[in-house]
Amino acid sequence: KLHGFKLRAGAGARMARAAAFIRAMRQPDGLSPVINDGYPVNLAPFLDTLPKAARPAEKTTFFKNAGMAFWRDKGSFLVFDASPFTGKFSHYHAGKNAVILWHGGQPFLVDSGCPNYEDALFAKWYKSGAAHSGLLVDGRGDGAVAGTYDWKSWAAPRCTPWRVGKRGPVISSVLRSSAEGWGGVEWRRAVEVE
C-alpha cells in the first residue's frame, strides 16, 4: 500500500504466516535466536511491516516444515531446533535436537552462534556438534564437514508437535545421523515445560 502496488492473491496469508513465525521465535530481548548460519537480528522492524497479530503469540508453537518449536511464559522462552534442512551443501550446523533456554528474561542455555565466515573456527568449531546443546556419541557430533560447506555426514531429525505431558507441554524429536560412530544410534530428546 505504501508504494502503490497490489500484492498477488494469497500474499497476505503468506505474510501473516511469516509474522506468526517471527512473533514465535522472538527472544525476550527482541532478537532472533541464532540457528545454523544465522545471526541475532532485531525483529521489531520486520514485525512493524507485517500484518498485526489478531491475538498474542501462543504459549507453544510448532512449525512442522521448519522443525522448530517455541515456548514462552512469563520471562521464560525455549527454542527446540530439530530443523530438517541438513545435507551435502547446506548452511546447517551439527547439533540438532538442540535447546536454547531463557529464564527470568535472561539467557540460560545459548547456542554458540555463528562468527563471520572468515573466522578460522567457523567450520572447525561453530559448525560442530560440540558447539551446540546436542548429543555427542563417543565424542562425535551428528555431522561432519570438510571445508566450510561440504558435509560428509549429517543429522536427520524428525520432530513431533507439542503434546500434553504430566506437568506441562512436551516437545520431542528423534534423530539419526550418518556420522561416523552413529550407526544404529537413534536419539530421542523430549523437553517438558511447566
Side-chain angles (χ1 to χ4, degrees):
K1 291 178 185 178
L2 178 65
H3 297 287
F5 66 90
K6 292 184 179 182
L7 297 174
R8 291 183 179 174
R14 285 191 301 276
M15 290 175 68
R17 288 193 303 273
F21 183 78
I22 291 170
R23 280 186 201 92
M25 74 179 302
R26 189 178 191 187
Q27 297 180 142
D29 63 357
L31 302 177
S32 63
V34 178
I35 304 293
N36 297 323
D37 276 4
Y39 296 91
V41 174
N42 178 0
L43 295 174
F46 293 104
L47 290 172
D48 290 345
T49 63
L50 293 170
K52 301 298 179 213
R55 58 181 190 226
E58 299 287 329
K59 191 171 183 177
T60 60
T61 50
F62 175 64
F63 296 90
K64 180 181 178 181
N65 292 339
M68 302 291 299
F70 305 95
W71 168 82
R72 68 179 66 249
D73 187 37
K74 301 175 189 158
S76 294
F77 176 72
L78 175 98
V79 178
F80 192 88
D81 175 17
S83 61
F85 302 110
T86 62
K88 183 75 173 152
F89 296 109
S90 69
H91 284 257
Y92 143 79
H93 286 203
K96 292 295 142 186
N97 281 359
V99 174
I100 297 171
L101 179 65
W102 287 62
H103 183 69
Q106 298 295 315
F108 182 71
L109 294 173
V110 296
D111 191 272
S112 62
C114 183
N116 68 50
Y117 291 176
E118 290 79 32
D119 189 311
L121 293 176
F122 172 60
K124 291 180 181 175
W125 170 252
Y126 289 95
K127 295 186 87 154
S128 75
H132 305 276
S133 65
L135 177 70
L136 301 179
V137 175
D138 293 331
R140 294 185 178 108
D142 59 25
V145 67
T148 305
Y149 292 109
D150 185 9
W151 287 96
K152 300 302 181 189
S153 58
W154 51 86
R158 288 187 333 269
C159 196
T160 58
W162 287 97
R163 62 181 168 78
V164 177
K166 291 180 181 179
R167 295 159 63 196
V170 177
I171 189 71
S172 60
S173 176
V174 175
L175 182 145
R176 291 180 183 206
S177 175
S178 59
E180 185 179 343
W182 277 70
V185 173
E186 181 176 271
W187 177 37
R188 297 172 186 269
R189 183 174 218 175
V191 177
E192 184 171 14
V193 292
E194 291 185 18

